[in-house]
Amino acid sequence: MKVIRDPIHGYIELDALTLSIIDSPQMQRLRRISQLGLSNLVYPGANHSRFEHSLGVMHLATMLTGKIDSVCEDEKKELRVAALLHDVGHGPFSHVTEGLIKHYTRQQHEDVRRILKKGELGEVLNEHGLNPATIEEHIQGKTDLGKILNSEIDVDRMDYLVRDSHYTGVAFGLVDHVRLINEMKFYENKLVVNSGGIKAAESLLVSRFLMHPSVYYHHVSRIAETMFIRAVDHLVQKGSLNPFELRNMDDSRVFEMIRNDDGYAGELAAKLDNRKLYKRALYVGFDEVSEGVLKHRRNIKRVEAEIAEEVGTEPENVLIDIPRNPEIAEMKAQVKVNNRMLRLDEASNIVATLEQAHHDNWKMGVYTPKEYREDVAKAAKVFFDVKRTSKQFRLTEIKG
């Protein structure tokens, strides 16, 4: 048994099996996959990787299964391995490329069976009698045990909220994960939180709510990530990059490919390298545009071309970012109160009020080079039928 020092959880123990998995190329690649995409353009300290997050999730999963008597040793081993490997399917810059990879390959980062079967990692799992299909099902949360890793309240969320808060310096990731783990158990084959863990569960949701606009959807990060995705997509469209190979690359390799492009992708890479980012021409929420705007997510490039034509510029000078409809899956977590099963939002007034507040955090962005900002703003306001015309709106345009 060996131990490593983690800045979040202290000492993490590694047995022979986990050491063998860690030494595989598939796991070592995660050292070169940033946890928070391009957020280091906003928070310089946000340079942590999927590798250390995976170690943290494994540690928390081990803590939780160790407190549940109904979980046998073989199941604990399976879940420990699944926790360590739960992010092995992430592409470069983590969630930044996930939508693009899914669009071209129909694979999500939890679809890892092929990865688990190949190379050194496949040999390690086979040597220890571990079935890649079962490990994948745990990662996807399809098994009862897998809910520990992938459900409304899981150890994945517990680790990344605390870890992301630590490395960004944003003091919102205050989650009493030890208390929460101590109050979680299986009841009627469901992972539930005892009434004594409600306050800890509330802290997790409040933390995620505050981290969402401050870190995960910070407008500078969204602009940079939108630019990066368009650069990568440009390489795919021109045949320079195979999207199936993209998933197995690391951050630096993909960034070098867009740097070496002699066209649009290369131009965007130069801007990202020097932090010469596009500016916000429009940045609005559901109070300014109806939720019907979400239908444009399927045809963003067509909308960009239409706005660009109205302005009299190239489509590449208009980038539109329409996030998914906001939701808080954690609200559906099951809580056991006085021998009754309730949803977390039924057991907590604080949680119930977060749904609308989270909805209010949603923002759609239209980004463009500085010289086109005024014209693009006017055209985008007309296209999206923006309702707000107040001083606040004009200040948003001016500040960028």
Side-chain angles (χ1 to χ4, degrees):
M1 185 75 70
K2 291 188 176 181
V3 294
I4 58 171
R5 179 74 182 178
D6 178 67
I8 307 302
H9 303 300
Y11 289 106
I12 295 178
E13 294 185 345
L14 303 173
D15 56 21
L17 170 57
T18 51
L19 282 170
S20 297
I21 291 173
I22 286 171
D23 287 340
S24 69
Q26 292 92 332
M27 273 298 298
Q28 288 298 310
R29 184 184 70 93
L30 296 186
R31 291 183 183 272
R32 306 185 297 277
I33 303 295
S34 60
Q35 173 78 8
L36 286 179
L38 294 165
S39 291
N40 61 352
L41 293 177
V42 182
Y43 300 103
N47 294 305
H48 52 305
S49 70
R50 285 281 154 181
F51 179 81
E52 57 205 86
H53 165 61
S54 298
L55 293 174
V57 173
M58 179 195 69
H59 174 71
L60 294 182
T62 303
M63 286 178 59
L64 181 49
T65 56
K67 297 178 182 300
I68 301 176
D69 295 334
S70 60
V71 180
C72 70
E73 289 303 315
D74 285 344
E75 290 175 326
K76 289 179 181 179
K77 181 174 78 169
E78 279 185 358
L79 193 73
R80 184 174 168 86
V81 169
L84 184 59
L85 292 169
H86 83 284
D87 273 348
V88 76
H90 263 300
F93 294 96
S94 298
H95 290 290
V96 178
T97 57
E98 184 163 12
L100 189 68
I101 291 171
K102 182 180 177 182
H103 173 74
Y104 285 109
T105 69
R106 300 294 186 265
Q107 294 178 343
Q108 302 184 80
H109 80 269
E110 296 97 340
D111 300 325
V112 295
R113 192 175 309 186
R114 291 183 181 178
I115 298 173
L116 302 183
K117 287 182 175 180
K118 295 180 179 179
E120 292 181 25
L121 182 55
E123 293 174 4
V124 171
L125 296 183
N126 183 62
E127 180 182 342
H128 289 268
L130 293 164
N131 186 346
T134 303
I135 299 298
E136 181 187 59
E137 288 178 349
H138 288 329
I139 291 172
Q140 294 173 343
K142 292 181 177 179
T143 64
D144 292 337
L145 202 60
K147 300 299 182 186
I148 291 173
L149 302 179
N150 190 342
S151 63
E152 291 81 10
I153 292 183
D154 54 40
V155 293
D156 182 21
R157 285 171 170 80
M158 294 181 206
D159 183 84
Y160 77 64
L161 285 170
V162 179
R163 192 172 299 277
D164 294 349
S165 175
H166 174 83
Y167 282 103
T168 58
V170 175
F172 294 146
L174 302 176
V175 180
D176 191 352
H177 57 276
V178 175
R179 173 71 173 179
L180 191 52
I181 285 174
N182 283 330
E183 293 293 339
M184 295 179 74
K185 66 177 182 179
F186 281 101
Y187 178 73
E188 296 180 350
N189 295 323
K190 293 181 180 179
L191 186 64
V192 302
V193 180
N194 285 324
S195 58
I198 290 179
K199 293 301 179 185
E202 288 175 343
S203 75
L204 185 146
L205 266 73
V206 171
S207 173
R208 186 168 179 266
F209 166 74
L210 294 172
M211 290 284 283
H212 198 269
S214 300
V215 177
Y216 303 131
Y217 276 77
H218 190 286
H219 73 274
V220 173
S221 298
R222 296 295 291 188
I223 293 171
E225 290 167 2
T226 302
M227 293 171 66
F228 178 80
I229 282 299
R230 295 309 166 84
V232 175
D233 192 31
H234 177 78
L235 295 185
V236 174
Q237 291 287 331
K238 69 186 292 186
S240 300
L241 176 60
N242 184 329
F244 287 91
E245 295 177 0
L246 171 64
R247 189 185 185 194
N248 299 318
M249 294 180 178
D250 59 31
D251 295 359
S252 60
R253 184 179 176 191
V254 175
F255 218 120
E256 193 62 27
M257 288 188 72
I258 64 174
R259 283 193 186 103
N260 292 334
D261 181 69
D262 58 2
Y264 177 54
E267 293 172 6
L268 289 177
K271 291 179 183 294
L272 290 168
D273 275 333
N274 297 296
R275 207 180 182 278
K276 304 297 184 182
L277 306 181
Y278 281 28
K279 302 298 182 181
R280 288 180 292 178
L282 194 66
Y283 197 61
V284 293
F286 285 135
D287 54 338
E288 294 114 321
V289 291
S290 71
E291 294 188 32
V293 73
L294 295 171
K295 68 178 184 294
H296 293 300
R297 281 173 52 85
R298 300 187 298 269
N299 301 296
I300 283 180
K301 288 186 178 180
R302 180 186 62 79
V303 179
E304 290 171 347
E306 187 169 332
I307 292 175
E309 183 179 4
E310 180 67 24
V311 172
T313 186
E314 297 298 318
E316 290 82 1
N317 289 323
V318 179
L319 297 181
I320 297 175
D321 174 29
I322 306 178
R324 293 176 298 177
N325 194 26
E327 61 179 15
I328 305 180
E330 295 92 331
M331 297 177 69
K332 300 177 183 178
Q334 296 293 302
V335 180
K336 188 179 180 184
V337 182
N338 297 326
N339 292 319
R340 294 176 57 215
M341 296 301 299
L342 300 174
R343 285 183 14 155
L344 183 57
D345 58 342
E346 295 172 331
S348 167
N349 290 329
I350 292 175
V351 172
T353 61
L354 284 179
E355 184 172 21
Q356 182 58 46
H358 189 60
H359 186 269
D360 293 341
N361 276 339
W362 183 94
K363 289 288 188 292
M364 176 192 76
V366 179
Y367 315 130
T368 188
K370 185 177 181 179
E371 59 268 28
Y372 301 111
R373 180 159 54 175
E374 184 175 345
D375 291 336
V376 169
K378 291 177 181 177
K381 284 196 293 181
V382 172
F383 182 91
F384 291 110
D385 190 24
V386 175
K387 301 177 182 66
R388 187 172 64 165
T389 58
S390 66
K391 179 180 178 181
Q392 183 182 1
F393 181 87
R394 293 193 295 274
L395 285 174
T396 300
E397 286 184 303
I398 292 168
K399 289 169 66 178

